[in-house]
Amino acid sequence: MAQHPDPYAGGVTPDQEISPPSAHFGEDGARLSYGTYLRLGELLDQQRLETDAHDELLFITIHQVYELWFKQLLHELEAARQAMFDDRLWWARHLLNRVHEIERILIEQVGVLETMTPQDFLQFRARLAPASGFQSVQFRELEFISGAKDAAFLRRFRGLTEAEAARLRRRLDEPTLWDAFLAAMRAHDLAAGTDDEVSASLRIAAHDRGGYGDVWELAEALMSHDELSAGWRARHVTMVERMIGTKTGTGGSSGASYLRSRLDFRYYPLLWELRSWL
Ligand code: HEM
Ligand SMILES: N[C@@H](CC(=O)c1ccccc1NC=O)C(=O)O
């Protein structure tokens, strides 16, 4: 019989020398364990159901996972914005590639929630009102930093804490990814004052990738971010129609028809228009 290594001996077999505990990798610092490092005690204590409906745990888990990824996306987008201002375009692209992968997961994840049937959702839906995804502060922060600053959302938000309102106001004051992209264009001697100038410069970059490859690739990365965000909105609304049909939303909107009215929305219309003029 093959001898299995003792997992607590750092992968060595019993006949090999076992290093003293003090030399074990990673144990000379804060004496972390998996659970203490990841704060699993706190994390796994945050799923508090309002009802005893079986599917409510899935509903809460999915939303919490979304919010964790939103936090990560904001972290990456802030850094990508800074990288563009610093003209470190390779780093901005690297981070935006990560953003795209996360956004693909966000779209894919909708299917997990759709394993819930509409009648099972109705077992706890009434208890959720007036809460709704409309009140996701991080979702709105993502829209603001991406370029879609709309102060009307701040006014329409119900139940914002002072800290959340401050976060949103800060996002309204900050430059967007698009502002940072325009700065990067200028740093590469491309005019980026008016929309017409930006469009003309984008055409120049598109047709001279030898000279403007970094700027072009960045424009494409922003395009993917925009496309994936639109993809999430479309996926969300089909899920909504499957779950509640034409019912009004718990957040007080008309529901799917409000969400459909946002489907044509794009962060970077000039990048989309460019396609018609190449
Ligand atoms: C059963 C599943 C879901 C249903 C039926 C649903 C339904 C709705 C409805 C009807 C609205 C419009 C606001 C209102 O309630 O009046 C809305 C908005 C929103 N939902 Fe959901 N939702 C679901 C799952 C999710 C998930 C998993 C997320 C992920 C975070 C999410 C995020 C949002 C966001 C961010 C908005 C605001 C969108 C905007 O203003 O453009 N929803 N949802
Ligand atoms: N607005 C949804 C309920 C809902 O999905 C929801 C409720 C509370 C917290 C987050 C939610 N997710 C997205 O809107 C509805 O009208 O059924």
Side-chain angles (χ1 to χ4, degrees):
M1 271 260 285
Q3 226 172 1
H4 291 289
D6 174 357
Y8 294 103
V12 293
T13 48
D15 59 334
Q16 285 176 295
E17 196 188 328
I18 296 171
S19 47
S22 62
H24 280 183
F25 178 73
E27 289 195 1
D28 42 22
R31 298 211 163 258
L32 291 171
S33 73
Y34 180 82
T36 58
Y37 178 56
L38 299 173
R39 298 190 170 269
L40 294 185
E42 293 90 332
L43 183 67
L44 299 178
D45 193 33
Q46 304 306 314
Q47 295 69 42
R48 309 286 175 88
L49 280 59
E50 289 286 330
T51 68
D52 52 16
H54 175 86
D55 282 359
E56 196 186 347
L57 178 61
L58 176 69
F59 191 80
I60 291 175
T61 300
I62 288 268
H63 282 84
Q64 290 183 340
V65 169
Y66 268 105
E67 291 293 334
L68 284 174
W69 280 127
F70 290 166
K71 180 175 180 174
Q72 188 69 35
L73 286 177
L74 286 166
H75 181 67
E76 306 300 358
L77 292 177
E78 281 179 359
R81 178 183 59 187
Q82 190 59 48
M84 286 191 256
F85 277 124
D86 296 344
D87 199 23
R88 291 173 79 213
L89 303 192
W90 62 274
W91 180 240
R93 271 186 51 207
H94 171 75
L95 297 175
L96 286 170
N97 280 340
R98 180 176 298 161
V99 163
H100 303 154
E101 291 303 327
I102 295 170
E103 290 173 332
R104 287 189 186 98
I105 286 181
L106 296 188
I107 296 171
E108 192 64 23
Q109 187 167 282
V110 169
V112 182
L113 190 53
E114 275 189 339
T115 63
M116 175 174 74
T117 63
Q119 61 274 33
D120 290 341
F121 182 39
L122 289 175
Q123 284 180 21
F124 61 94
R125 179 176 185 247
R127 288 286 282 273
L128 304 179
S132 94
F134 193 76
Q135 295 168 316
S136 168
V137 173
Q138 292 199 108
F139 178 84
R140 217 53 75 184
E141 284 186 78
L142 284 167
E143 289 198 337
F144 288 179
I145 195 175
S146 295
K149 287 184 187 174
D150 187 345
F153 280 114
L154 234 168
R155 290 192 291 276
R156 283 164 57 197
F157 254 111
R158 278 180 295 181
L160 267 189
T161 67
E162 196 35 57
E164 289 172 331
R167 282 178 71 94
L168 286 170
R169 278 195 299 269
R170 200 190 81 206
R171 294 289 179 200
L172 285 175
D173 290 340
E174 279 176 3
T176 65
L177 287 174
W178 185 249
D179 296 326
F181 176 65
L182 297 185
M185 287 179 82
R186 290 186 202 104
H188 287 251
D189 298 323
L190 290 163
T194 63
D195 280 2
D196 285 348
E197 275 176 5
V198 174
S199 295
S201 294
L202 286 170
R203 273 199 299 279
I204 291 170
H207 291 302
D208 182 5
R209 280 180 281 165
Y212 300 100
D214 285 350
V215 172
W216 173 254
E217 292 296 334
L218 197 54
E220 288 292 88
L222 289 174
M223 186 78 184
S224 296
H225 171 51
D226 202 358
E227 189 177 33
L228 287 160
S229 302
W232 184 84
R233 286 185 216 106
R235 190 69 187 85
H236 175 252
V237 77
T238 55
M239 167 178 59
V240 171
E241 285 166 343
R242 180 178 180 139
M243 290 293 171
I244 62 169
T246 58
K247 292 176 184 166
T248 56
T250 53
S253 82
S254 57
S257 71
Y258 158 70
L259 296 166
R260 285 218 158 268
S261 75
R262 295 205 80 219
L263 287 187
D264 287 340
F265 176 76
R266 293 293 181 273
Y267 292 139
Y268 314 119
L270 295 184
L271 293 182
W272 292 88
E273 280 167 27
L274 171 69
R275 273 63 194 167
S276 307
W277 303 107
L278 286 177

